[in-house]
Each structure stands twice: as structure tokens, then as C-alpha cells.
Amino acid sequence: MTSYLNQVACHEQGIAPAIAVAATPDKLLMQAWVNREALATAVAEKRAVYWSRFRKKLGRKGEESGNVQKSTEIRLGGDAICYRVKQIGGIACHTGRANCFYQRLENEAWVTTDEILVEPE
Amino acid sequence: MTSYLNQVACHEQGIAPAIAVAATPDKLLMQAWVNREALATAVAEKRAVYWSRFRKKLGRKGEESGNVQKSTEIRLGGDAICYRVKQIGGIACHTGRANCFYQRLENEAWVTTDEILVEPE
């Protein structure tokens, strides 16, 4: 197997965290997971590809919604990989928000702070 | 147990990914892990606290190096939490680099692109 894939520390079930960051300006979009197949596919197709723990299959971001993440760079840091992407449509979250981190901890409760920009189908 | 802790999806060994982002400007610093104890401690102490999978204990970022991550906000997104922090010393990585994602994938190899700013002890 290609060496760069083996250098990603995959723990449980051969998966590692994958973090998507918008390229310009720098903006945290989402966290999901990759296995080696997802990462190799992302490299081949120059887009963010994840491994769905729930559905147990590859997921090309934006496959259904059209909100593709075009990968401009892939980075490795500790246990995780980072996709630096151009987020097509400006919507990274399946809830129709710009990013998935739309809840903030306030007085020991998660409070939704970000509005839905596009109503999900 | 406090409800906000139960709302963090903890998978393997009760841990979840924790991503640290510098507050201004937005900059991905590192990815590590939290369990509920780490997250509750972070909330109480207003600093990034992680769970070391390797050492099997809590780690307060900067405990030894002084490069504390003062937490300004904690967010939840999918399976992960995000610490938005003020990175004291400007060094998030134990290698003495500004952030941990200092390797970039180039022609199927991880290439170090970021320089060491402070020689680690």
C-alpha cells in the first residue's frame, strides 16, 4: 500500500479524524472521518472524501447536495488529516449552515448560534 | 452527569475529537481528543484540556511548555468539539511549530512545510 496512507495513524476500525478548513479565509468547516480508501480517493479526485461510520461507506462531500469540497491541499497533523478546500455553495453542513460547529457552549448547554442559510431538502 | 457532556458523541473508549482553533484570525492549530472529564475540566478552568490516548491521562495544554491555550469559546460540531483559543506563546505543536498540521501531501508523500519556531526542550 502507498506509504503516505500508512503514515496516517488509524485507530478504531482503521479510521482517522478528517478536518475540513475553507482555504480563504481560513475557516473551520467540519470534522468527519477517513479510512485509507477515502483518503486515496480524495487524492485521486481532488475533492474531500470521507468514510461514514454510520453508513459504513465512502461519502464524497456534496454528492447529493452539490456542495462539493474541492480539495486544494491535504495536511497531516498528529492523528488527523486536514482537507483545505474550496467549499462550493458555501454550505458545509447538512443542516444548511455554513459550517457544522454551529453550537456554542453557554452555561453548560449547547446553544445554536448560526442560522440556516439554505433549507436542506 | 451534566447534560452537555452527554450530548458529545463519544465513540471508542469514551473519547471524541477535539480541534483547537486560534481565535483571531481563525487558524487551525491542532487535533487531539477529549473525554468527558477533560471537557468538564476545560470548562471549569477556561483552558484547553485534552485526554491523552497514549498516556491515559488528562493533559492541560501548555502544562510543561507554558504554551497554554486559553479557551474563549467551546463549540460542538458533529462528533467533535472545537476549542477556540488564545494560543499563548504562539506555539501549539510540541515540535515547536505554530501548529501541528505542518506536513503537506505532495506527490504521495508527506512533506514538512512549516519551520520550527522554538526548539523544543
Side-chain angles (χ1 to χ4, degrees), chain A residues 20 38 42 46-50 59-61 68-71 83 85:
Chain A
K46 294 186 168 51
R47 61 187 284 178
V49 179
Y50 301 98
R60 289 168 175 81
K61 181 69 186 176
V68 171
Q69 291 177 337
K70 292 192 179 180
S71 170
Y83 289 129
V85 303

Side-chain angles (χ1 to χ4, degrees), chain A residues 13-53:
Chain A
Q13 300 166 1
I15 63 173
I19 299 162
V21 172
T24 41
D26 220 40
K27 178 71 186 171
L28 177 64
L29 296 177
M30 57 177 282
Q31 180 270 330
W33 304 91
V34 286
N35 60 5
R36 287 167 181 167
E37 183 188 0
L39 185 52
T41 306
V43 171
E45 301 184 5
K46 294 186 168 51
R47 61 187 284 178
V49 179
Y50 301 98
W51 175 254
S52 169
R53 300 170 72 124

Side-chain angles (χ1 to χ4, degrees), chain B residues 3 34 92 97 106 110:
Chain B
S3 143
V34 287
R97 293 177 174 89
E106 294 178 9
W110 298 108

Side-chain angles (χ1 to χ4, degrees), chain A residues 33 73-75 79 104-105, chain B residues 33 73-74 79 101 105:
Chain A
W33 304 91
E73 190 178 68
I74 303 177
R75 288 192 163 268
D79 294 339
R104 181 168 62 201
L105 191 60
Chain B
W33 305 89
E73 190 179 67
I74 303 177
D79 294 340
F101 290 88
L105 190 61

Side-chain angles (χ1 to χ4, degrees), chain B residues 10-75:
Chain B
C10 290
H11 297 276
E12 185 198 12
Q13 301 167 0
I15 62 174
I19 299 162
V21 171
T24 40
D26 220 37
K27 178 70 188 172
L28 177 64
L29 296 177
M30 58 179 281
Q31 181 270 328
W33 305 89
V34 287
N35 60 5
R36 288 168 179 165
E37 184 188 0
L39 185 51
T41 307
V43 171
E45 301 184 4
K46 293 185 169 53
R47 61 187 286 177
V49 179
Y50 302 98
W51 175 254
S52 169
R53 298 169 73 124
F54 181 69
R55 291 184 290 176
K56 307 280 182 207
K57 62 172 196 171
L58 288 193
R60 290 168 173 80
K61 181 68 186 175
E63 206 159 15
E64 291 162 22
S65 64
N67 296 328
V68 171
Q69 292 176 335
K70 292 191 178 179
S71 169
T72 58
E73 190 179 67
I74 303 177
R75 289 191 163 270

